[in-house]
Amino acid sequence: MTDSRNRWRDASRKGTLTIKGIQSGYGAQDVSEVTTSANYVVKDGKRYLFYREYLEGGASQQVRMTIEEKEVILKKVGPLQSTLHFVRGKSMPCHYMSPVGLMELISKTRAIKMREGEHSFFLKMNYSLYMHEQHMSDYELEIRWEEGEE
């Protein structure tokens, strides 16, 4: 009998993931970009990206991004455990663990666009985050995965 962890590994393709985020809303835009290795899986009509996120001080956490045409769920397991939920045209509850504590947020997603090639995947999202019905900031997130080792 094969455990579920091995089934995911067997179906995955290794590649390089680049995540570019632009945050705006309070003064100047904040742009960040990270490149890391990631596994990409297509299963039952959904796409999944699995990768490690590295935190200050050397700690890391596992990230699973579940992607459908109109919905993206970003789940982080580790010291800053979080679940961010995005559905195009809807408001969704999110739980984000920051270094100062848990933040209960609402995401309002304006756009989710994806494009898949034979050896690549691209995702772009535009959304805003709210806390206690107060607008916090706007985000544009671009995720690019390309098959092959770094």
Side-chain angles (χ1 to χ4, degrees):
M1 182 170 164
T2 306
D3 70 58
S4 62
R5 192 175 300 184
N6 286 334
R7 280 185 280 144
W8 282 109
R9 192 177 310 122
D10 293 343
S12 71
R13 295 161 46 198
K14 295 180 187 298
T16 301
L17 181 67
T18 302
I19 302 170
K20 180 180 178 184
I22 302 172
Q23 178 183 4
S24 58
Y26 296 109
Q29 287 186 335
D30 182 24
V31 179
S32 63
E33 188 167 319
V34 174
T35 300
T36 189
S37 59
N39 290 336
Y40 178 69
V41 177
V42 178
K43 183 177 173 124
D44 299 328
K46 297 180 184 179
R47 286 137 185 86
Y48 300 89
L49 284 166
F50 296 94
Y51 60 96
R52 278 214 168 278
E53 180 177 76
Y54 295 92
L55 309 171
E56 288 184 30
S60 70
Q61 56 191 17
Q62 185 64 40
V63 181
R64 179 186 74 205
M65 186 178 290
T66 305
I67 305 161
E68 295 183 75
E69 184 179 332
K70 297 178 183 180
E71 180 177 23
V72 174
I73 299 171
L74 182 67
K75 185 168 179 78
K76 300 178 180 188
V77 178
L80 299 178
Q81 195 157 304
S82 303
T83 302
L84 302 173
H85 194 174
F86 307 96
V87 177
R88 186 171 56 210
K90 294 192 177 184
S91 298
M92 301 302 295
C94 299
H95 311 284
Y96 181 77
M97 181 61 78
S98 75
V100 296
L102 181 64
M103 298 168 59
E104 299 289 338
L105 305 172
I106 298 293
S107 70
K108 292 187 179 180
T109 306
R110 291 178 297 285
I112 296 175
K113 298 176 184 174
M114 63 179 176
R115 185 175 60 244
E116 188 171 31
E118 188 175 339
H119 302 285
S120 64
F121 178 79
F122 177 78
L123 173 71
K124 184 174 183 177
M125 296 192 326
N126 295 86
Y127 61 94
S128 298
L129 291 178
Y130 294 78
M131 185 165 60
H132 305 297
E133 298 183 20
Q134 295 281 84
H135 177 259
M136 290 180 51
S137 54
D138 298 314
Y139 296 85
E140 181 176 302
L141 189 65
E142 290 184 1
I143 296 169
R144 183 177 312 274
W145 177 86
E146 293 182 359
E147 191 169 18
E149 299 298 316
E150 271 189 277

